[in-house]
Amino acid sequence: MQQIPVYAFTGFLDSGKTKFIQETLEDPRFNAGERTLLLVFEEGEEEYDFSAYPHQNVQLAVLDQQTVTTKELQNLAKKCRAQRVVAELNGMQLVGDLYTRFPQEWVIAQEVMFADSTTFMAYNANMRNLVIDKLTGAQMVVFNRLTKGEDTMPFHKIARAANRRIDILYDYTDGTTAFDDVEDPLPFDINAPVVEIRDEDYALWYRDVTEEPRKYQDKTVRFKGQVAMLRRDRNGMFAPGRFVMTCCVEDIQFCGVPCRYEGAGKLEPRSWVTVEATVSAEKHPLYQGELGPVLTARRVEPAEKADPEVAAF
């Protein structure tokens, strides 16, 4: 099956998505004649100027992000024999919901979020679930319409809290740009003989260890979590973890790590335990064919509830 790369651009209305896509398609380094399907799920004040493109192999389709189907997208790509897709997404819709309807052969090559710095904080305060949704999957976020000398740390903190690996670009009103080079050290010592994870740092650790399991290979960690039983290997494994809130109460979910432990079958589900275990990067059914962290317990001891009980970033 021939894969079709998708370049997705997210952000709220009037955040600069259309302008950036227009300039990108005008660049002969990006538009060298590839047959491109341009999907627009949100129409703003700016319109695309096809006369400025070095090649005319760009086909535009304006669609409703809520109702578009996989079949519609497949037919559009087939009709124009698309070699790639450029998509301008609707800021008021969840990114992941649309991705589940992408054809199987469509692969996200890059996802970039655009944010108007003059309105971003208001969106974050009132629609945080939509902001986090876009930051979580993006490789880069561009904060534009900044004035030179403006404090960028509030933007940095929100972006990196949602996605520690996201690149941040600041676009200033004087025409200059600058990449964010602030280091974000982890709040625990990954090189310690035993990596101690405090209650308030569980969410950060869980995201870090699941994103980069090889980094923790053969390291010993100690953390507090609740007992969750696995359907498979019930007597030989369990999954200690915590309920984690990404941005709001509605998105709380249990985030646990598979753990080998001979006494797993005797543990009480939902009870609190302190786990000291060695980490290895392995494949496990929970990770759907990808490498992920798997623990081998050294000690599992009863514990008091974590404080706070629900972990957050």
Side-chain angles (χ1 to χ4, degrees):
M1 182 185 298
Q2 182 67 39
Q3 292 187 336
I4 298 178
V6 179
Y7 299 88
F9 299 92
T10 70
F12 298 100
L13 192 65
D14 296 329
S15 60
K17 300 189 299 288
T18 303
K19 182 175 183 290
F20 181 85
I21 295 171
Q22 173 69 32
E23 292 174 350
T24 299
L25 290 172
E26 289 178 6
D27 189 338
R29 293 172 297 178
F30 182 82
N31 187 353
E34 297 90 342
R35 293 187 299 275
T36 303
L37 175 59
L38 174 58
L39 301 178
V40 176
F41 294 101
E42 180 180 70
E43 291 188 273
E45 293 184 1
E46 289 199 46
E47 296 184 356
Y48 289 99
D49 179 7
F50 286 75
S51 67
Y53 301 158
H55 297 275
Q56 302 306 309
N57 294 335
V58 180
Q59 298 294 319
L60 172 67
V62 180
L63 302 168
D64 186 328
Q65 189 165 320
Q66 282 186 297
T67 61
V68 68
T69 65
T70 304
K71 190 66 176 176
E72 284 181 273
L73 297 172
Q74 285 176 325
N75 289 338
L76 284 168
K78 185 177 180 180
K79 184 178 179 180
C80 70
R81 295 182 296 125
Q83 294 174 294
R84 64 182 178 183
V85 174
V86 175
E88 179 180 350
L89 275 57
N90 189 319
M92 301 306 292
Q93 304 295 326
L94 295 174
V95 174
D97 181 56
L98 175 64
Y99 287 173
T100 61
R101 284 173 277 141
F102 275 2
Q104 187 178 355
E105 65 272 19
W106 289 20
V107 178
I108 304 298
Q110 187 177 33
E111 182 181 323
V112 179
M113 178 184 178
F114 286 83
D116 180 347
S117 65
T118 64
T119 59
F120 177 78
M121 290 302 176
Y123 277 115
N124 185 62
N126 298 302
M127 302 179 187
R128 185 161 169 76
N129 64 317
L130 291 174
V131 172
I132 296 298
D133 171 67
K134 289 154 186 60
L135 287 171
T136 300
Q139 284 82 47
M140 181 169 73
V141 57
V142 179
F143 291 105
N144 52 38
R145 297 169 190 156
L146 285 158
T147 56
K148 207 68 174 179
E150 185 174 346
D151 181 15
T152 58
M153 189 54 68
F155 303 110
H156 168 97
K157 287 181 177 179
I158 293 171
R160 287 285 168 78
N163 183 346
R164 284 186 63 85
R165 295 190 292 180
I166 197 169
D167 289 325
I168 304 172
L169 180 68
Y170 301 117
D171 187 3
Y172 295 97
T173 52
D174 66 358
T176 62
T177 60
F179 273 101
D180 187 304
D181 58 0
V182 176
E183 292 289 338
D184 287 303
L186 291 166
F188 42 83
D189 184 1
I190 194 173
N191 295 313
V194 177
V195 183
E196 297 279 358
I197 309 301
R198 298 179 300 176
D199 290 354
E200 61 267 34
D201 296 330
Y202 180 83
L204 282 173
W205 172 74
Y206 177 82
R207 183 172 61 193
D208 198 54
V209 74
T210 52
E211 287 180 350
E212 299 184 76
R214 287 191 178 93
K215 187 168 75 175
Y216 288 84
Q217 181 68 37
D218 299 327
K219 293 186 180 295
T220 299
V221 298
R222 185 188 293 124
F223 64 92
K224 188 183 294 182
Q226 286 182 276
V227 173
M229 307 311 297
L230 296 167
R231 291 181 181 179
R232 301 181 184 181
D233 303 318
R234 185 177 179 85
N235 293 322
M237 293 190 78
F238 75 114
R242 299 271 301 279
F243 283 94
V244 175
M245 181 175 66
T246 303
C247 65
C248 53
V249 172
E250 288 76 12
D251 74 358
I252 292 176
Q253 59 182 331
F254 188 80
C255 296
V257 182
C259 179
R260 297 186 183 92
Y261 178 54
E262 290 183 359
K266 298 179 182 179
L267 295 172
E268 184 69 26
R270 299 292 293 270
S271 63
W272 286 91
V273 291
T274 295
V275 178
E276 183 174 303
T278 303
V279 184
S280 58
E282 303 178 26
K283 290 187 177 181
H284 186 276
L286 285 179
Y287 305 127
Q288 300 179 337
E290 300 293 328
L291 282 179
V294 175
L295 306 177
T296 300
R298 291 184 172 184
R299 281 192 291 273
V300 177
E301 301 169 342
E304 297 295 321
K305 289 181 180 180
D307 183 19
E309 190 170 343
V310 175
F313 295 98

